[in-house]
Amino acid sequence: MALREVLQFPDPRLKQVSEPVSEVTDEIRELARDMCDVMYDEPGIGLAAPQLGESIRLIVVDTEWTEDEEAERDPLVLVNPEIVAREGTLTWSEGCLSVPDYTADIERAARVSLRAHDLDGKPVEIEADEIQAVCFQHEIDHLDGVLFIDHISRLKRSLYVQKRKRALRDEAEASAL
Ligand code: NI
């Protein structure tokens, strides 16, 4: 089966605030599977539903998976995730499947407490630190239409926007040949 396409900056759908999931339906479970497939294929350590053009509050995260095909994969699929407590700060070099060819140091909370529901509709509570805390904050930002480049300085951001526009122009010219 073909993998779904990840929307890329500056697609306006990435700026939308996503709607809460009112009920976990088969469509939501299928979307979660598609999201995991895309995450492991890209590869990435997290993905939010809006990145596949679905404006709903659903994320998948797996900061521990390895390329080893034999290893069992255990993604966290979180419905309506919400950060309820933050502590400390840390700086992490972040990238994003929706922001091609760019990474930047971003300051985040060092530890977060999260509330969400799983795919069975059961409430879950998670405490995270290090890369997992960073990943949750990054993915939940996506649900609010926020990208990691919205956290960098205006100058750095405009340099990236110019670079991205050039790349898109080059792509368009190449495909016109
Ligand atoms: Ni991202």
Side-chain angles (χ1 to χ4, degrees), residues 7 13 53 73 80 102 105 117 121 146 153 173:
L7 301 186
R13 287 170 286 179
R73 289 175 176 173
N80 299 333
Y102 194 64
D105 285 347
H117 285 81
V146 174
S153 73
E173 274 170 17

Side-chain angles (χ1 to χ4, degrees), residues 16-89:
Q16 284 174 9
V17 177
S18 293
E19 295 293 326
V21 175
S22 52
E23 193 193 348
V24 179
T25 59
D26 287 344
E27 284 78 30
I28 301 273
R29 286 189 197 94
E30 197 181 320
L31 174 61
R33 273 195 299 275
D34 287 349
M35 287 166 64
C36 290
D37 289 347
V38 169
M39 172 175 72
Y40 292 124
D41 181 73
E42 284 280 346
I45 56 171
L47 196 76
Q51 292 180 275
L52 296 188
E54 305 284 349
S55 196
I56 58 167
R57 304 189 82 82
L58 175 70
I59 64 171
V60 298
V61 166
D62 189 349
T63 53
E64 287 174 357
W65 73 279
T66 64
E67 299 279 351
D68 182 2
E69 299 267 321
E70 304 292 306
E72 194 154 321
R73 289 175 176 173
D74 190 18
L76 268 168
V77 179
L78 300 179
V79 177
N80 299 333
E82 213 181 328
I83 294 171
V84 292
R86 305 162 189 266
E87 215 183 274
T89 57

Side-chain angles (χ1 to χ4, degrees), residues 1-171:
M1 196 191 70
L3 288 166
R4 291 181 60 164
E5 195 187 336
V6 178
L7 301 186
Q8 296 194 325
F9 178 84
D11 193 304
R13 287 170 286 179
L14 293 168
K15 299 290 292 174
Q16 284 174 9
V17 177
S18 293
E19 295 293 326
V21 175
S22 52
E23 193 193 348
V24 179
T25 59
D26 287 344
E27 284 78 30
I28 301 273
R29 286 189 197 94
E30 197 181 320
L31 174 61
R33 273 195 299 275
D34 287 349
M35 287 166 64
C36 290
D37 289 347
V38 169
M39 172 175 72
Y40 292 124
D41 181 73
E42 284 280 346
I45 56 171
L47 196 76
Q51 292 180 275
L52 296 188
E54 305 284 349
S55 196
I56 58 167
R57 304 189 82 82
L58 175 70
I59 64 171
V60 298
V61 166
D62 189 349
T63 53
E64 287 174 357
W65 73 279
T66 64
E67 299 279 351
D68 182 2
E69 299 267 321
E70 304 292 306
E72 194 154 321
R73 289 175 176 173
D74 190 18
L76 268 168
V77 179
L78 300 179
V79 177
N80 299 333
E82 213 181 328
I83 294 171
V84 292
R86 305 162 189 266
E87 215 183 274
T89 57
L90 96 178
T91 301
W92 205 277
S93 173
E94 294 186 29
C96 178
L97 299 177
S98 295
V99 182
D101 307 317
Y102 194 64
T103 56
D105 285 347
I106 307 294
E107 192 176 284
R108 300 278 190 185
R111 285 170 296 282
V112 294
S113 305
L114 223 82
R115 270 190 213 139
H117 285 81
D118 66 15
L119 283 181
D120 298 319
K122 277 195 304 218
V124 284
E125 287 190 26
I126 298 170
E127 311 255 308
D129 61 5
E130 306 248 318
I131 189 171
Q132 205 185 35
V134 170
C135 194
F136 284 134
Q137 290 169 86
H138 178 119
E139 301 312 332
I140 292 172
D141 263 0
H142 275 298
L143 305 182
D144 293 318
V146 174
L147 299 174
F148 80 97
I149 50 171
D150 296 322
H151 294 293
I152 61 181
S153 73
R154 201 177 288 186
L155 174 66
K156 279 190 195 160
R157 193 178 187 285
S158 69
L159 288 173
Y160 174 71
V161 171
Q162 283 170 28
K163 181 178 138 175
R164 177 75 185 133
K165 279 188 185 152
R166 264 198 311 274
L168 286 170
R169 208 169 44 226
D170 291 348
E171 261 173 46

